[in-house]
Amino acid sequence: MFYRAHPFHWVPAAGLRHASTDRRPDAALAYPTGTSVSTLCRQKLSADNSELAWLWSTCGDCDVEAHRIARTLYTPATERTK
């Protein structure tokens, strides 16, 4: 299996770590604080790229959706048709 980057990024916002498929600014490793992001749990939130925010708990709904996306990406096509 080869490495392929996930189509989502983790972003602390509103007291939890969420995931988003929104494009990050060019060359940015994270969404800058204050950036409005649409999350996998279907919320529009403001990113908090502070050091402590990365230690927050993960949003359960984003986690479930991120795992679903990852499984889809890494499941061979023959497995998906079963």
Side-chain angles (χ1 to χ4, degrees), residues 1 4 71-82:
M1 180 186 326
R4 183 177 3 169
R71 275 192 309 275
T72 301
L73 287 175
Y74 296 108
T75 303
T78 55
E79 289 292 319
R80 281 185 244 145
T81 59
K82 289 183 181 179

Side-chain angles (χ1 to χ4, degrees), residues 56-77:
W56 292 343
S57 296
T58 301
C59 167
D61 292 339
C62 283
D63 193 46
V64 167
E65 184 62 9
H67 279 85
R68 186 196 65 75
I69 291 169
R71 275 192 309 275
T72 301
L73 287 175
Y74 296 108
T75 303

Side-chain angles (χ1 to χ4, degrees), residues 6 12-14 16-18 25 28-29 37 39 45 49-51 67 71 74-75 77 79:
H6 296 290
L16 293 170
R17 288 182 300 119
H18 293 270
L29 297 177
V37 294
T39 64
L45 301 172
N49 195 19
S50 63
E51 192 172 318
H67 279 85
R71 275 192 309 275
Y74 296 108
T75 303
E79 289 292 319

